[in-house]
Amino acid sequence: MTESREVLYEKRGRAGWITIDRAAKRNSINAAVMSGITSGIEQSSADPDVRAIVLTGAGDKAFCAGADLSGGAEAFGRSFAEPSQPFANLLRAAHACRLPIIARVNGACMAGGMGLLAMCDMAVAADHAIFGLPEVKIGVFPMQVLSVLQQLIARRDLMELCITGEPVDAATALAMRLVNHVVPAQELDAKTDWLLARIFDKSPTAIRRGKYAMAAIADMSFEQALSFTETQIGVTALTEDAAEGVAAFTEKRSPVWTGR
């Protein structure tokens, strides 16, 4: 296990676990948290043995309550002489990551915490978790969060969350497809492990190349996406994992993935 002041990183088997360790502050986001999560993503991506990333919060009260407002309005940005901001750069790092990222939502997921949730590829939530975008209650709007939420949930649901600022429960979040699975709190780890197991027995090469392709075609037209993907299937078929997968299928055995 390695750690910064406020984010823990631990390799558990084939998963890199990133934990926001600010339970007393409802795992709110500050500069150290943004840096720590980014570092955890980079550390996982650089380790060939890591097949997936889990992002969670310490304790059982909050996944992440959003920006730490104890420092005032500076929580929403520092030097505007810079063309990019730290939270946006964290979202960029997650978007560029080719490993599956799973959010383990152990409690309240609010404001910037919704951005952390939405930047993940999948999510498992405890049934007591609540979700919301309360920024309008303090005179701001979830601007950067919109970048990762707008393609995740239906526009009417997104508008209601943003404009009313009112939270929803885990069952509603599941219906909105903010999360993949909702379980009792005592089953959260087991469900997270179940989802990880469904990743670990698949080709890491196919997953990496697949995430790359999905990100690339997100803003393409149909014809552009089709032209791009018809070349990518041929490239993927040339990998060692593809050869192993076909051989294993033919020989009626489990594949042994090399990730190459």
Side-chain angles (χ1 to χ4, degrees):
M1 175 183 291
T2 59
E3 58 185 273
S4 68
R5 288 181 302 143
E6 306 193 271
V7 176
L8 307 179
Y9 179 81
E10 180 183 9
K11 185 177 173 182
R12 302 185 191 175
R14 286 179 286 183
W17 280 67
I18 302 170
T19 303
I20 306 171
D21 193 26
R22 307 186 78 216
K25 295 285 189 178
R26 293 173 58 81
N27 296 320
S28 56
I29 301 168
N30 60 12
V33 168
M34 290 184 282
S35 176
I37 296 174
T38 301
S39 177
I41 292 172
E42 292 172 347
Q43 191 168 344
S44 295
S45 298
D47 188 335
D49 293 329
V50 172
R51 300 282 185 85
I53 298 169
V54 177
L55 176 63
T56 192
D60 58 6
K61 301 297 183 185
F63 169 72
C64 175
D68 185 344
L69 300 180
S70 60
E74 289 186 3
F76 300 107
R78 287 169 176 78
S79 172
F80 286 97
E82 295 297 326
S84 61
Q85 297 298 310
F87 187 69
N89 287 334
L90 169 56
L91 299 182
R92 290 184 178 101
H95 183 71
C97 180
R98 299 303 172 229
L99 294 173
I101 306 176
I102 297 172
R104 175 189 174 274
V105 185
N106 52 302
C109 177
M110 309 296 287
M114 290 277 277
L116 299 185
L117 166 67
M119 78 180 192
C120 296
D121 300 299
M122 290 167 275
V124 180
D127 57 5
H128 70 275
I130 59 170
F131 302 78
L133 296 169
E135 283 89 339
V136 291
K137 296 181 180 181
I138 58 169
V140 292
F141 204 77
M143 296 295 188
Q144 297 170 100
V145 176
L146 288 174
S147 301
V148 283
L149 269 179
Q150 66 173 346
Q151 293 182 331
L152 183 63
I153 62 175
R155 185 171 179 81
R156 290 195 185 278
D157 289 331
L158 181 59
M159 293 291 280
E160 184 173 349
L161 287 170
C162 290
I163 291 174
T164 70
E166 298 300 330
V168 298
D169 60 18
T172 303
L174 180 62
M176 288 181 175
R177 303 307 294 163
L178 273 168
V179 299
N180 297 81
H181 306 281
V182 172
V183 295
Q186 64 270 24
E187 298 176 18
L188 185 58
D189 283 335
K191 194 66 175 179
T192 303
D193 289 341
W194 171 85
L195 188 53
L196 286 169
R198 291 166 69 90
I199 295 170
F200 292 157
D201 66 351
K202 310 306 189 303
S203 163
T205 300
I207 291 171
R208 285 197 309 271
R209 292 205 62 89
K211 279 200 65 179
Y212 160 75
M214 291 176 75
I217 69 173
D219 296 318
M220 292 183 185
S221 68
F222 167 76
E223 185 54 43
Q224 289 170 331
L226 197 57
S227 296
F228 178 77
T229 53
E230 69 183 344
T231 63
Q232 291 301 302
I233 187 63
V235 172
T236 305
L238 294 173
T239 65
E240 289 185 18
D241 269 10
E244 169 63 11
V246 172
F249 178 82
T250 302
E251 297 164 12
K252 296 181 172 56
R253 59 173 175 81
S254 298
V256 179
W257 305 119
T258 64
R260 294 191 292 270

